[in-house]
Amino acid sequence: MYPLNQKQPWPRQQWWIAAWSGEVSRELLGRTILGEPVILYRTEDGTPTALAGVCPHRSYPLAQGTLVGDAVQCTYHGFTFDAAGACVRVPSQASVPDRSRLRHYPTVERGGTVWIWTGDPDRSDAVTIPDVLAMGMAAPGWANDISPMVTIRGRYTLLIDNLMDLSHASFIHADTIPGADYIATIPAELVDGAGSLAVRRVGRIPPNPLTRKQFPLQNGGVEQHFDAEYHAPALIRTGGDIRTEAGEPLGTQNFIHGITPETAHSVHYFVATTRDFAIADPALSAGNLAMGDRIQPQDVAAIEAVEAMLRSLAAAPTEVSCRADTGALKVRHRLARQIASEDMA
Ligand code: FES
Ligand SMILES: [Fe+2]
């Protein structure tokens, strides 16, 4: 049954978005990632750091500890750990016990996102992080509208399913995405790229309040990409290029979706919009964020409803798939292969 593998529902040799850059500060941030409590903070020189979030002494949550310089002090009995996770102080004795080290996770900060590596540290290689700068994140000439992270009570694979089949937009987002009713009728094409797999829909959207706000000088409808591009499995880019009906480029608007499993039945969801047109238009940014505030709860509600249904069933359901699921099914196979390859390693 989906999610693929009950023992190991996710790949571990993998980068994930741990937090937006703005969330990581000189305060300790606690976040569960792949079922493991983690703490995130910046050292005094500004470098993001990720350590295990459970004190090895008596399991106190270190998110409730304090920062002393670059070190984390547990506020229960004062065990103190440096930024590499080594225990450097036990107040009641002169030496530190063996095995009192905290796990240290490699991190990389890029394009307004802090990535965490959950696999063997010596296998971490930042080249496998999706190129968020090319998608417009914190890139010159682009505006970014970043929504607060939300945690969905549903397995992460349901969020991947949701994003890889945008035909759902015509139904659950019919009242929140202008032009959404057209999306399900646009034929989809699969594009197998280097390191990604995309379901591409390019459709004509009649003029609507959103296109008029985005491109006030443009009369008529637009030709718009509704791509769903999978970057295994931590990030999906949707949206894409927008042109006039005559094919003249108007700009690009991407939606960046970061997908980070919290537990086997919940997922952290990071959404940002990037655009390379009208970048200094605060009304457009405010409108994007407000629209996101209306769209996102619709996806969250659908995913949570499916999760609740799956958990209530005594046996795994037999699914019936349709043509629109082709991309999502390919992605499932890819993800299953990725997890299986780790099992063999
Ligand atoms: S639980 Fe952390 S020092 Fe005791
Ligand atoms: Fe959606």
Side-chain angles (χ1 to χ4, degrees), residues 20-21 109-113 115 132-133 137-139 144 146:
W20 294 125
S21 285
E109 184 166 31
R110 187 173 290 174
T113 46
W115 293 77
V132 287
L133 273 90
M137 287 294 292
N144 291 178
I146 294 178

Side-chain angles (χ1 to χ4, degrees), residues 159 162-163 165-166 168-169 172-173 176-177 257 269 295-296 298-300 302-303:
L159 180 54
N162 168 284
L163 292 164
D165 182 2
L166 295 180
H168 77 262
I172 70 168
H173 304 313
T176 50
I177 301 183
H257 308 265
Y269 186 20
I295 294 170
Q296 218 183 47
Q298 296 175 321
D299 290 307
V300 171
I303 290 166

Side-chain angles (χ1 to χ4, degrees), residues 18-324:
W20 294 125
S21 285
E23 293 184 283
V24 184
S25 69
R26 293 286 296 153
E27 302 280 323
L28 293 170
L29 170 69
R31 185 154 287 168
T32 297
I33 294 172
L34 273 55
E36 297 169 17
V38 172
I39 48 168
L40 294 148
Y41 65 98
R42 288 185 193 274
T43 52
E44 285 176 325
D45 69 1
T47 309
T49 304
L51 298 173
V54 184
C55 181
H57 179 225
R58 290 293 179 266
S59 304
Y60 192 76
L62 287 174
Q64 293 176 37
T66 49
L67 270 181
V68 180
D70 287 348
V72 177
Q73 185 177 64
C74 178
T75 35
Y76 199 174
H77 315 93
F79 279 41
T80 303
F81 307 88
D82 69 14
C87 184
V88 291
R89 183 167 176 257
V90 171
S92 55
Q93 61 185 54
S95 62
V96 296
D98 292 342
R99 303 192 323 277
S100 52
R101 166 174 284 278
L102 297 178
R103 179 175 175 187
H104 172 265
Y105 296 83
T107 52
V108 169
E109 184 166 31
R110 187 173 290 174
T113 46
V114 175
W115 293 77
I116 186 167
W117 173 260
T118 51
D120 305 333
D122 50 1
R123 290 178 62 184
S124 70
D125 183 347
V127 295
T128 61
I129 295 176
D131 191 354
V132 287
L133 273 90
M135 300 174 196
M137 287 294 292
W142 291 75
N144 291 178
D145 300 314
I146 294 178
S147 299
M149 185 275 280
V150 296
T151 303
I152 308 176
R153 291 181 307 252
R155 59 201 73 184
Y156 78 108
T157 42
L158 295 179
L159 180 54
I160 295 176
D161 275 353
N162 168 284
L163 292 164
M164 291 310 296
D165 182 2
L166 295 180
S167 71
H168 77 262
S170 299
F171 297 90
I172 70 168
H173 304 313
D175 57 341
T176 50
I177 301 183
D181 41 340
Y182 286 82
I183 297 174
T185 63
I186 306 170
E189 177 200 2
L190 267 185
V191 184
D192 216 333
S196 69
L197 177 70
V199 176
R200 177 159 297 162
R201 288 185 172 82
V202 184
R204 293 261 164 107
I205 302 297
N208 62 57
L210 181 62
T211 55
R212 276 193 282 270
K213 239 195 286 174
Q214 288 174 321
F215 309 107
L217 304 178
Q218 145 80 5
N219 292 314
V222 295
E223 192 182 84
Q224 190 164 349
H225 275 243
F226 296 95
D227 302 341
E229 190 177 77
Y230 171 74
H231 295 263
L235 187 139
I236 292 175
R237 178 191 66 82
T238 62
D241 295 344
I242 308 172
R243 299 193 176 83
T244 64
E245 284 177 336
E248 315 256 331
L250 288 166
T252 300
Q253 176 157 275
N254 293 314
F255 299 87
I256 311 298
H257 308 265
I259 300 158
T260 306
E262 181 194 45
T263 67
H265 298 283
S266 57
V267 58
H268 299 308
Y269 186 20
F270 298 87
V271 181
T273 310
T274 66
R275 67 173 190 280
D276 66 356
F277 56 89
I279 63 171
D281 182 347
L284 203 48
S285 289
N288 276 342
L289 289 169
M291 196 164 88
D293 285 348
R294 293 192 298 274
I295 294 170
Q296 218 183 47
Q298 296 175 321
D299 290 307
V300 171
I303 290 166
E304 292 187 345
V306 174
E307 176 69 36
M309 178 61 81
L310 289 177
R311 294 190 79 172
S312 73
L313 297 173
T318 310
E319 293 179 318
V320 177
S321 295
C322 63
R323 213 170 301 143

